[in-house]
Amino acid sequence: MGKAEANKQHKRESLLNTAFELFTTKGINNTSISDIVEAAGVAKGTFYLYFKDKYDINSKLVVHRATMLFDSALERMHQQDLTDPKDRILFVVNDIIDALTKDKVLLMFISKNLGLGFSRFMMESPSVTGEEPVVEATKEFLKDIGGSISDPRLMMYMIIELTGSSIYSAILYDQPVSIEELKPHLYAAITSIIDQFTIK
Amino acid sequence: MGKAEANKQHKRESLLNTAFELFTTKGINNTSISDIVEAAGVAKGTFYLYFKDKYDINSKLVVHRATMLFDSALERMHQQDLTDPKDRILFVVNDIIDALTKDKVLLMFISKNLGLGFSRFMMESPSVTGEEPVVEATKEFLKDIGGSISDPRLMMYMIIELTGSSIYSAILYDQPVSIEELKPHLYAAITSIIDQFTIK
Amino acid sequence: MGKAEANKQHKRESLLNTAFELFTTKGINNTSISDIVEAAGVAKGTFYLYFKDKYDINSKLVVHRATMLFDSALERMHQQDLTDPKDRILFVVNDIIDALTKDKVLLMFISKNLGLGFSRFMMESPSVTGEEPVVEATKEFLKDIGGSISDPRLMMYMIIELTGSSIYSAILYDQPVSIEELKPHLYAAITSIIDQFTIK
Amino acid sequence: MGKAEANKQHKRESLLNTAFELFTTKGINNTSISDIVEAAGVAKGTFYLYFKDKYDINSKLVVHRATMLFDSALERMHQQDLTDPKDRILFVVNDIIDALTKDKVLLMFISKNLGLGFSRFMMESPSVTGEEPVVEATKEFLKDIGGSISDPRLMMYMIIELTGSSIYSAILYDQPVSIEELKPHLYAAITSIIDQFTIK
DNA sequence: GATGAATGAGCATTCATTCAT
DNA sequence: CATGAATGAATGCTCATTCAT
C-alpha cells in the first residue's frame, strides 16, 4: 500500500541522510551503527532491513551523491547553447567545480571515497556499488564529441583525473593557490589536452 | 650499548615491516595490533614502546616508503647529465612510474594513504606525519628551474596531481589504457603544462 | 469452509516439514523462526498462529514422527500370525530397527530429542508433549503378554532402553559393529531379558 | 612464574565450576557468557583467553567430569581383591551407579551431554573433545578380560548402553522402578550378556 | 626495556515477538 | 486469517590499553 511504502522510503532516506551527516562529521571509522540509528530515530534492527552494514550504506551514499552532482551539471549544460565539444567539456568541469566549491562537505566526502577511482566511476559500469549509473550520460557525452577526437575515453580520463585531483586542495585549503587562481591554468591545461587529442 | 640498541632497532623495523605486510594484505581496518605483534613475534606491550597506535605506525610507514621512492628517483636523476628542467622533470616522473609499475603493492599503499594529498606530501612540511621530509630535495628541484618558470610551485602541483592520479588505474588495471600507452599522452600533457608556465 | 480449512492445514504442514528439514540439517539452535517461515514460504506472523515458539513446533514434530514409527511397526506386527510374546516383541524391535536404518535422518532426530526418554515416551502419557499417545497400543501390547511375565512394564523398559541406546551408533557409524552384526547379539540379550522375567 | 601460573589455573577453574553450576541450573541455552563471567568474577575478555565459546567450555566440562567419575570407580575396583571379570565389571557398574545416585546433578549433566554417546566416550579416543582420555584405563580393562570373552568391545558396548540408558530414569524419577529395585534385574541382564559372550 | 594476562568498554548482529494494515 | 515492517533487548566477540612481574 502507498502509505506503508512511503514510510519505508522515508526510513531509508532518513538513514541515508543521517549516515552522510555523521560520516562527514566524525568519519566512517568513528561512526557506529548505534550512532546512525539513534540520530535517525529508528530502532537498531531497522538499519539491517535496509543496509547490510556500515560500508554498504556508505557506498550507496557515494553513488547517490556523485550521480546527482554529475547529472545536474549535464542538465545545466544541455540548457546552454553549446556546440563546440571543448566548450561543453569546460562548461561541465566549471559547473562541477562551482558546485563543489559551494558544498565542501560533499567535496570531501566524494574525494575520500572515490579518490583515484573518480574517473572509473564516471566512465564505467559501477558494478561494485550496484546502483543506476552515470554511465549512460557519459556515453552520450563521449558520442557527441566522438567525431573529432582520436581517443575520447582516454582524453576524458586524463581531464577528469587532472581536474579531480587538483581542485581538492585548492578549494579546501587554497593550496597551492585558490580555486579561482587555479581555474585559468587548469582550463589551459585541459584545452591543451583536448588539442592534443583532436584530429586535425 | 650497541647490542641492545641494535635489538631495539630490530624490533622497531620488524614491527614496521610486519605492519606494512598486513596493512597491504588485509587493510588497516582489518588489522589489529594483536595481529601485528603476533606476526612480528614481539609482545603486545612492546608495540606501545615504539608507536602510539595503529594509525601512528601507518603514517610513519607512508612517509618512509614515499620518501624512499622519491629520493631514489632524484638520486638517479642526478646521475644523468640533464640540464633542461623539462627533461629533468620527465626523467623523475618516468622513474617513479617505472618503480611503481614494478612494485604494485607499494603503489596501492601510497595511493590509498596519500590519495589526493600526494602533492602536498612532496611540496610541504608533512607536519601530520612528523618525519624528515622530501621537502628539501623538492625545494632544490624547484630552485633549479625557478628562473624560467612563472609559478614553479603551481606548475609542479599540477604535474604531480595529473601524474599521480592518472597512473594508478593504468598500472593496476590497464584502464583506460596500459601505462605504456598512457605514457606518451601523459608526457605530452606535462610538456604542455610546462610550456604554459614557461616565461617566454 | 473446506478450502480455507485445507489451506490452513497446508500451511501448518508446510511449517512442520520445513522445520523438520531445518532442524535435522542445521540443528535447532542454529535455526531461527525466520529461517523456517522463509523456507516454508509463509509470513513471519503466520508462524505464531500455529505454534508458540521453536520448541513447540519441535516437540510436536517429535511426537508425530515417533508415533508414526511405532504405529506402523505395530500394524505390520498384527498382519503377521505371531502368538508367542517373544516373537511379537522381536518382530516389532526388528521392524523399527529396519525402518530407522533406512531413515537415518529420522533416527538422529528421534535420538537427539527423545534421548534417554525413549521408553517413557512409549510407555507413559506424554504429558510433556501433549498429543495423541502411543500409549494405547503399548498397553494392549503389555496386556497380551501380561499373563506369563512377572513385571511386564519393567521388562519392556529394559528392552527398549537397551535397544534404543545400542542401535544408534551401530546404524549411523557401524560402531562398534554394523547393525547387522549387532542384531544377533541384541536379540540374544533381549531373549535373555524376557526369559529372566518369564514366570516358570 | 609460579604465582602467575597458579592465578591462571585458578581463573580457568573458577570459570569451569561456574559454568557447570549455571549449565546444570539454567541449561546451556539460557546461560550467556555474560552470566558465566559475572558469576565467576572475571572480566568478559578473560573468558576468551581460556575458551573458544560456550560450547567449548561445555565439552571440556563433560570430559573432565566423566573422566573423574570413571577413574575413581576404576581406582576403587583396584583396591578390591577381584579377579573374576564378571565381578570386576559388576563392581564398576555398581560403583558408578552409586556415585550418580548421590550426585544427581552430575547424572543429568552427563546424560544430557553424552547421551547415547556414552559408550563411545569410554571406549574410543575422544577426538572431538580433545582432552586426556579414559581410553587407557578402558583398554586395560578390556585386556584383562580378553582371554575368555569372544568380542570384549562389543560386550562392553552393550553393557554400557544398557546401563547408561536404564539407570537415568530410575535414579531421577523412580521410573519404572527405583534404582534399588532395578539393580537386581540390571545385574541379571548384564550377567546374561557376559555369559552370552563367554567362550566355553 | 620487555612481557602477556587481564581488562571492560564498545560494537555488530541476531531474532523472537508485536501489531497496524 | 495473513502479512511483514518495526522493534530493541540480548549476546557474542573484539581489541586497544594497562600494569604487575
Side-chain angles (χ1 to χ4, degrees), chain C residues 37-56:
Chain C
V37 295
E38 196 177 334
V42 302
K44 220 169 193 173
T46 306
F47 180 91
Y48 294 92
L49 297 175
Y50 297 100
F51 307 101
K52 204 181 140 283
D53 55 28
K54 210 162 66 166
Y55 304 102
D56 181 38

Side-chain angles (χ1 to χ4, degrees), chain A residues 22-34:
Chain A
L22 291 172
F23 288 168
T24 52
T25 312
K26 310 166 54 177
I28 188 168
N29 277 325
N30 297 317
T31 303
S32 70
I33 288 174
S34 287

Side-chain angles (χ1 to χ4, degrees), chain D residues 11 13-23 26 31-44:
Chain D
K11 284 244 159 68
E13 264 168 37
S14 177
L15 284 167
L16 277 167
N17 292 330
T18 307
F20 181 76
E21 186 68 27
L22 292 172
F23 288 168
K26 310 167 53 178
T31 303
S32 70
I33 289 175
S34 287
D35 291 338
I36 299 171
V37 295
E38 196 175 331
V42 301
K44 215 170 200 172

Side-chain angles (χ1 to χ4, degrees), chain A residues 33-35 37-38 42-49:
Chain A
I33 288 174
S34 287
D35 292 338
V37 294
E38 197 176 331
V42 300
K44 217 169 197 174
T46 306
F47 179 92
Y48 293 93
L49 293 176

